[in-house]
Amino acid sequence: MDKKTAILPCNGLDKCAGCVSREIAIKLQEEKNAEIICPVLFRVADARYNKVASENELIVIDGCNTRCATKLASEKNLKVSRKINVTEASKQYGIEIQSKLQIGENEKKLIDMILEDILKKDDSNGENSSILFPKVLDYEIYKKDKFIFRLPKEGFYFNENDVWVYVQGNLARIGVTDYVQQSLSDIMFFTPPIVGSEVEQFDEVGAIESGKAVFEVISPVSGKVIRVNEALLSNPEYINENPFEKGWIAEIELKDFESDKMLLLEFDEYFEKMKRKVDEFHV
Amino acid sequence: MSDIKIGVVSCSGEECFGGTISRLATRKVLEDLRLGEAVTICLPLFIAGGEEERNFAKVYPTVAVDGCSKLCAMRATEKYSGKVNAVVKVDEIIGKEKALEKVVSLRELPSDYMELVDKVAQEICKEMDKISSDILKKQAEEELKNSGECSGGCCCCGCK
Ligand code: SF4
């Protein structure tokens, strides 16, 4: 935790979610010795924060899907290492927050859970993955104009939402396919799933975002998220470089892969589907 | 209670304790003292938003509430939307030194915060009342002018 952190919260006043953002920022300031960037002052007089925002690990906290803080970060061309959206997190944790501006019991619970998640991730940084992922993958290639779509030939399953899963024992690694990264083009943000959260097959398990769109990663399996690819927080472009290798998204402890498998596609089937999608839609 | 709605825009308050007090006082006005008469907007949304948000200070007569002398709420509102009708300067009410202390979580507010919030909230209400009465006065004057009647007494406007 020695690397200095800067936090840019939306801190909006007319929504409880904005107040929650601010509370998280203040707590992080204490726990991580982080510096808070006031979004309003940053806009009105950015010299005060330019250095802090560009030279440190930057955590952006949005209250709601208007994503004021994210917009500000992207206008200022800042590299964001972590994004939190209070409204999304409240859905993920199943904690409803009020429309009034008070920080009540539920809001406190949500603040604590989000903080715990952020701090836990710090502690687990640098841990090695316990999944033995193949060092070299053998790909089949499909070309369309200047675009190249690869697909590993063995050991992977896919869902219709263009997400892959590689399974080993009761552990799985997931990620998106080339079809997703080519469609989105330059990926700018990665919102990881919460470590420790339980997901069902076809639940959302993180999101990636480019200037074009936001893509919700739909989990091909059910289980518990045990690790996320921290490298993507500061380098989401790894997904463009290779979504099967350094651009993987998360690892999941499987609940019942045998039944998940029934709704997944193997190489041949997905390769055909992907080719059709590529031909039908203009990437 | 008049049906005039007044906008209260509070500074974000990440720079100092004065900002925290601005937020709390604004909330007290919105949720308690002037429920239904005051409206607000997230200042970051105000600045980042589009046409609709930018019209805020044109649609509502607005009071800016600022935690310190940087006057972010007033400056941002005037830059992006329109002239504010009044500014409540928290540092002048609670004292500069106190206002410049560091921000605190709502869970760990100092014991005297309630008193400070009340003082600022009262000031916001005072400004709101002044704006409402000015508007009402103007409306009444206009009505009189339109109906061609005079308020009585001796005048030289030509009325009968
Ligand atoms: S992200 Fe939502 S809560 Fe935060 S300032 Fe914008 S509109 Fe308000």
Side-chain angles (χ1 to χ4, degrees):
Chain A
M1 261 191 231
D2 345 284
K3 198 174 170 199
K4 185 108 164 90
T5 306
I7 310 159
L8 177 60
C10 79
N11 80 4
L13 180 69
D14 78 343
K15 295 187 176 76
C16 187
C19 300
V20 170
S21 306
R22 177 178 185 270
E23 283 297 300
I24 296 169
I26 292 174
K27 275 279 167 215
L28 277 177
Q29 182 181 35
E30 288 159 16
E31 306 264 344
K32 278 172 76 81
N33 186 24
E35 182 163 350
I36 299 181
I37 297 172
C38 175
V40 177
L41 186 58
F42 192 21
R43 236 181 244 270
V44 184
D46 66 359
R48 158 82 177 80
Y49 293 117
N50 276 341
K51 204 161 139 60
V52 180
S54 58
E55 289 180 3
N56 298 299
E57 170 194 68
L58 179 66
I59 301 180
V60 165
I61 311 174
D62 286 310
C64 69
N65 287 332
T66 312
R67 301 182 306 134
C68 294
T70 298
K71 282 182 192 157
L72 177 56
S74 83
E75 262 167 48
K76 303 260 179 205
N77 266 326
L78 296 174
K79 189 157 185 167
V80 178
S81 51
R82 183 97 200 254
K83 279 209 301 176
I84 292 143
N85 181 315
V86 171
T87 307
E88 294 290 311
S90 97
K91 268 193 239 151
Q92 260 175 312
Y93 287 120
I95 302 175
E96 214 173 301
I97 52 174
Q98 54 187 337
S99 53
K100 289 218 312 194
L101 297 173
Q102 260 124 30
I103 304 282
E105 283 315 307
N106 272 4
E107 290 71 32
K108 280 187 192 155
K109 213 155 77 190
L110 182 62
I111 292 168
D112 288 341
M113 290 180 93
I114 295 176
L115 280 167
E116 197 188 320
D117 183 48
I118 298 173
L119 299 169
K120 192 160 68 198
K121 263 192 200 132
D122 277 351
D123 292 341
S124 67
N125 264 351
E127 245 179 54
N128 288 325
S129 159
S130 54
I131 207 167
L132 280 173
F133 196 76
K135 287 226 161 36
V136 186
L137 295 177
D138 184 14
Y139 294 102
E140 187 79 301
I141 285 174
Y142 182 65
K143 280 192 186 165
K144 163 99 181 182
D145 306 327
K146 61 175 186 176
F147 299 104
I148 295 178
F149 298 85
R150 293 153 302 177
L151 204 65
K153 287 185 194 157
E154 268 166 29
F156 287 74
Y157 293 89
F158 309 87
N159 65 14
E160 305 256 359
N161 312 81
D162 308 290
V163 180
W164 58 260
V165 55
Y166 178 86
V167 174
Q168 190 175 77
N170 70 333
L171 297 179
R173 182 177 279 189
I174 63 163
V176 298
T177 68
D178 265 337
Y179 178 75
V180 173
Q181 65 88 6
Q182 297 280 27
S183 315
L184 289 176
S185 83
D186 293 342
I187 290 161
M188 294 182 318
F189 293 117
F190 165 58
T191 308
I194 291 166
V195 173
S197 62
E198 301 277 346
V199 288
E200 291 299 325
Q201 190 179 31
F202 303 119
D203 275 357
E204 187 189 326
V205 64
I208 52 181
E209 190 178 336
S210 70
K212 281 187 178 174
V214 179
F215 175 85
E216 287 169 359
V217 182
I218 300 297
S219 185
V221 289
S222 39
K224 184 167 149 192
V225 178
I226 52 163
R227 192 167 289 111
V228 297
N229 187 357
E230 299 281 341
L232 292 185
L233 297 171
S234 42
N235 303 289
E237 69 276 8
Y238 284 176
I239 300 173
N240 291 116
E241 285 170 30
N242 190 330
F244 297 101
E245 296 179 30
K246 58 183 182 178
W248 62 278
I249 301 274
E251 288 183 355
I252 292 177
E253 201 175 80
L254 294 163
K255 194 158 87 183
D256 184 2
F257 183 62
E258 281 316 302
S259 76
D260 292 339
K261 206 158 89 178
M262 293 194 287
L263 297 170
L264 296 175
L265 312 171
E266 294 195 38
F267 170 81
D268 291 339
E269 223 179 330
Y270 180 73
F271 194 62
E272 286 313 310
K273 274 197 192 290
M274 183 189 77
K275 282 202 297 195
R276 248 177 284 141
K277 283 196 198 187
V278 171
D279 292 341
E280 280 165 19
F281 294 99
H282 249 298
V283 182
Chain B
M1 179 179 129
S2 75
D3 54 5
I4 300 165
K5 287 214 191 299
I6 296 183
V8 185
V9 180
S10 165
C11 84
S12 260
E14 302 314 347
E15 276 287 303
C16 59
F17 180 63
T20 312
I21 295 295
S22 307
R23 294 173 70 94
L24 291 170
T26 303
R27 273 171 43 172
K28 184 161 184 169
V29 171
L30 286 165
E31 292 168 352
D32 185 7
L33 304 178
R34 290 292 186 274
L35 184 70
E37 289 174 58
V39 280
T40 192
I41 184 167
C42 299
L43 196 46
L45 173 62
F46 196 169
I47 300 172
E51 193 63 18
E52 209 178 307
E53 285 83 17
R54 296 273 162 97
N55 273 334
F56 188 85
K58 292 184 191 113
V59 175
Y60 302 107
T62 299
V63 180
V65 187
D66 273 304
C68 70
S69 57
K70 292 191 182 80
L71 300 179
C72 292
M74 186 205 85
R75 285 167 64 195
T77 311
E78 300 212 325
K79 180 166 174 194
Y80 295 104
S81 187
K83 265 225 135 344
V84 300
N85 298 58
V87 188
V88 171
K89 294 176 183 162
V90 174
D91 61 347
E92 287 178 3
I93 303 170
I94 70 169
K96 274 205 168 51
E97 221 169 283
K98 185 88 194 161
L100 289 177
E101 282 173 14
K102 75 172 187 46
V103 287
V104 286
S105 153
L106 298 185
R107 299 190 206 187
E108 293 132 29
L109 288 161
S111 57
D112 61 345
Y113 85 95
M114 217 39 228
E115 202 185 303
L116 306 175
V117 168
D118 281 342
K119 271 196 200 166
V120 176
Q122 288 307 336
E123 207 52 44
I124 300 173
C125 289
K126 230 197 266 168
E127 295 295 349
M128 286 178 63
D129 294 343
K130 202 159 147 264
I131 295 171
S132 301
S133 82
D134 284 351
I135 294 174
L136 291 173
K137 210 165 122 200
K138 215 161 140 201
Q139 277 172 359
E141 277 170 8
E142 250 154 49
E143 266 168 38
L144 277 174
K145 213 161 109 194
N146 291 342
S147 66
E149 279 170 25
C150 193
S151 49
C154 173
C155 77
C156 49
C157 68
C159 64
K160 305 210 164 80

